[in-house]
Amino acid sequence: SPESPESPSRKSDILQTIGVDVFTLKAQAEPQPIPARVILDLLHAEVRFIDDPSQAQATIAHLLTTTKGISRYPGAAGGMLGIDIETAPLPQFKHDPKAGLDPYKAEIRLIQLFDPVGNCYVFDLRKIPLALIQPLLESRETVAHNAIFEMKHLRHAGMKPLRMHCTRLMAPVVSGQQV
């Protein structure tokens, strides 16, 4: 029978593949970059690109329903979602190489959400209004790497995410190394 995604040896395989020492959770001395597709395959994650407003509405409704009871934290309205955003410079700042980092010079181009059961949703915000995603982000906890970046852009766009955790800030706590 195949190993469950939660089995100890399965977790060990995933951690070793992405360059994490299983026993100490410290990054190995010279980790090799692992392509995103490899990590997604190891997690048995399905990637769904969403560029239709009706499909986005259905997906958000599905996530609001299916992730509602998945949470370890008291007071949380539902399951924690992984989040990552990609930005694009506004036309008047297209020649500024750092414009994408500044919420006053850029717009959110894509939002990727990773649900607790292993699905990755990529929302194309040139075709989907950000307002469709707002109810989900304002009712679920999220986790991001460098959450300050996501938070700045989301707040500037008028959103008020419920609670956002940051893996970049937590990495030194877990690894014992300074950033």
Side-chain angles (χ1 to χ4, degrees):
S1 74
E3 294 180 27
S4 75
E6 298 299 318
S7 70
S9 64
R10 178 94 179 96
K11 288 179 182 176
S12 174
D13 290 346
I14 292 170
L15 291 172
Q16 286 177 350
T17 301
I18 62 174
V20 175
D21 179 9
V22 179
F23 298 104
T24 63
L25 291 179
K26 281 185 160 183
Q28 294 178 358
E30 295 182 30
Q32 297 297 313
I34 305 296
R37 181 77 257 166
V38 171
I39 295 170
L40 291 169
D41 287 345
L42 284 168
L43 295 171
H44 302 289
E46 184 177 332
V47 178
R48 297 176 184 161
F49 186 77
I50 300 166
D51 62 355
D52 176 68
S54 61
Q55 183 185 18
Q57 279 183 311
T59 300
I60 296 302
H62 170 75
L63 287 170
L64 283 166
T65 303
T66 60
T67 63
K68 186 173 185 176
I70 306 172
S71 182
R72 292 191 224 168
Y73 302 98
M80 189 178 303
L81 299 169
I83 185 170
D84 184 37
I85 66 170
E86 307 303 330
T87 61
L90 294 170
Q92 63 269 34
F93 300 108
K94 67 183 178 185
H95 298 295
D96 180 347
K98 294 187 178 186
L101 303 174
D102 185 341
Y104 293 93
K105 295 181 178 182
E107 63 185 346
I108 301 172
R109 174 69 181 87
L110 298 171
I111 290 184
Q112 293 98 201
L113 297 174
F114 193 82
D115 73 16
V117 294
N119 298 301
C120 181
Y121 304 90
V122 181
F123 294 90
D124 182 345
L125 296 186
R126 290 213 173 125
K127 298 180 179 179
I128 297 169
L130 185 58
L132 289 179
I133 302 169
Q134 191 166 357
L136 184 65
L137 294 181
E138 292 184 353
S139 66
R140 298 292 186 270
E141 292 185 64
T142 53
V143 60
H145 189 74
N146 194 13
I148 294 169
F149 176 82
E150 273 76 14
M151 189 62 87
K152 283 191 319 185
H153 285 273
L154 291 169
R155 298 284 299 195
H156 183 73
M159 297 183 74
K160 296 178 182 172
L162 176 68
R163 183 178 299 143
M164 190 174 290
H165 304 272
C166 183
T167 58
R168 184 173 183 209
L169 294 175
M170 288 305 299
V173 175
V174 172
S175 69
Q177 297 176 351
Q178 293 183 352
V179 177

